């Protein structure tokens, strides 16, 4: 019975994706909606992303340095490990899971509140495609999400550099040598491919849970929690699949 319910939900999700692109809203209105979503989802997220990335980068560098107890191991590996950790996993994946909590809860609660207060029904009565009106601007706004992850990568590595150099674990030249050592440009492409997939999930899964929720104000909170859990689960699954496809030989 539970399997049937999950399959039904997955089917409804893909039907929702199809409906998003039908009967588009007028561009004059859509442009305003997109700018609002960019402000709410992208600009408002920069502060928390910058703060977390900077300090986690520093922690990665310190922990790497503390584990290099053998004097024969070169210090530049601190920079190498920090770069690999931040670019491959921390920035694209773990920031996305954090954003599933911040962005996802905001999206679910805002759409869910509209459902509870019958604003979505009012849009439908006026002949507006409510899914296009509500979800499409979020998809377009989150095309800028790789920009957020790019900032996260830079600040993570920069935080690692400051922690390593001013903590006395490595010199600036050693850390920079580590950053440049055995650099594979495709790793950046891999990170941004993951980021684009995660951005799509961050826009659509919370929207799905908000749009199809039933009940009152209490259910809006429950829907936000469920949306965060499922967005995180799907991000982690997609992370595994994309890593296997793009990096495994």
């Amino acid at each position: 019975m539970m399997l049937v319910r999950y399959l039904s939900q997955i089917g409804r999700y893909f039907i929702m994706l199809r409906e998003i692109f039908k009967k588009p809203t007028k561009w004059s209105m859509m442009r305003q909606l997109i700018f609002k979503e960019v402000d709410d989802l992208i600009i408002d997220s920069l502060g928390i992303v910058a703060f977390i990335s900077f300090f986690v980068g520093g922690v990665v560098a310190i922990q790497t340095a503390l584990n290099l107890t053998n004097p024969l191991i070169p210090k530049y590996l601190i920079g190498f490990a920090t770069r690999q950790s931040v670019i491959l996993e921390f920035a694209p994946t773990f920031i996305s899971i954090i954003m599933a909590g911040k962005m996802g809860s905001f999206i679910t609660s805002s759409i869910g509140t509209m459902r509870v207060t019958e604003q979505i029904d009012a849009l439908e009565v006026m002949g507006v495609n409510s899914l296009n009106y509500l979800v499409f601007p979020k998809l377009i706004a989150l095309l800028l999400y790789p920009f957020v992850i790019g900032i996260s990568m830079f600040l993570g590595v920069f935080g690692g550099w400051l922690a390593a150099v001013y903590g006395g674990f490595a010199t600036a030249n050693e850390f920079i040598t580590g950053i440049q050592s055995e650099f594979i440009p495709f790793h950046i492409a891999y990170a941004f491919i993951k980021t684009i997939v995660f951005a799509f999930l961050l826009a659509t899964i919370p929207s799905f849970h908000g749009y199809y929720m039933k009940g009152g104000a209490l259910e809006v909170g429950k829907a936000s929690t469920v949306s965060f859990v499922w967005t995180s689960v799907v991000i982690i699954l997609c992370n595994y699949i994309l890593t296997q496809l793009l990096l495994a030989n």
Side-chain angles (χ1 to χ4, degrees):
M1 194 68 184
M2 189 175 288
L3 177 62
V4 172
R5 195 181 73 191
Y6 284 147
L7 289 174
S8 170
Q9 291 288 81
I10 292 169
R12 186 188 275 188
Y13 171 75
F14 284 105
I15 290 170
M16 183 196 81
L17 294 183
R18 188 187 65 189
E19 293 296 323
I20 289 170
F21 301 98
K22 283 186 175 179
K23 198 179 173 187
T25 307
K26 285 194 299 184
W27 172 245
S28 57
M29 176 65 71
M30 183 59 70
R31 186 176 57 211
Q32 296 174 21
L33 294 171
I34 290 169
F35 284 135
K36 181 179 182 303
E37 297 297 349
V38 168
D39 187 47
D40 289 342
L41 302 178
I42 301 297
I43 306 300
D44 284 357
S45 299
L46 289 175
I48 186 69
V49 168
F51 179 81
I52 292 172
S53 301
F54 181 81
F55 285 102
V56 169
V59 169
V60 169
I62 292 169
Q63 288 189 349
T64 304
L66 293 175
N67 282 288
L68 295 180
T69 53
N70 191 326
L72 298 176
I73 298 175
K75 296 288 187 184
Y76 77 80
L77 286 178
I78 298 170
F80 176 81
T82 303
R83 182 200 76 202
Q84 293 295 89
S85 301
V86 168
I87 288 178
L88 290 177
E89 280 308 312
F90 170 72
T93 306
F94 291 104
I95 288 294
S96 294
I97 291 172
I98 292 165
M99 288 299 104
K102 185 189 180 300
M103 281 185 197
S105 297
F106 172 78
I107 291 170
T108 303
S109 59
S110 60
I111 295 178
T113 302
M114 291 183 71
R115 173 62 75 189
V116 168
T117 55
E118 299 181 349
Q119 293 177 58
I120 292 176
D121 297 330
L123 287 172
E124 295 286 352
V125 168
M126 290 188 292
V128 175
N129 179 354
S130 56
L131 279 169
N132 180 265
Y133 183 89
L134 294 171
V135 184
F136 186 74
K138 294 172 174 57
L139 278 171
I140 299 302
L142 280 167
L143 290 176
L144 293 173
Y145 187 59
F147 168 73
V148 176
I149 297 305
I151 290 174
S152 173
M153 289 177 184
F154 170 76
L155 288 174
V157 174
F158 180 63
W161 178 81
L162 282 179
V165 173
Y166 290 96
F169 299 108
T171 65
N173 283 339
E174 285 173 334
F175 193 88
I176 290 169
T177 300
I179 292 173
Q180 296 172 337
S181 175
E182 297 180 37
F183 176 66
I184 300 172
F186 181 71
H187 284 172
I188 300 289
Y190 157 78
F192 281 120
I193 290 168
K194 288 205 302 186
T195 300
I196 291 166
V197 174
F198 297 162
F200 180 81
L201 297 174
L202 284 169
T204 55
I205 296 177
S207 297
F208 171 80
H209 285 283
Y211 189 85
Y212 290 108
M213 64 145 290
K214 292 181 174 67
L218 181 63
E219 280 71 25
V220 172
K222 289 180 180 176
S224 296
T225 304
V226 172
S227 133
F228 166 66
V229 170
W230 279 109
T231 306
S232 302
V233 166
V234 176
I235 283 173
I236 290 168
L237 283 174
C238 287
N239 182 48
Y240 175 81
I241 293 166
L242 289 169
T243 303
Q244 185 71 29
L245 289 174
L246 297 173
L247 292 187
N249 293 322

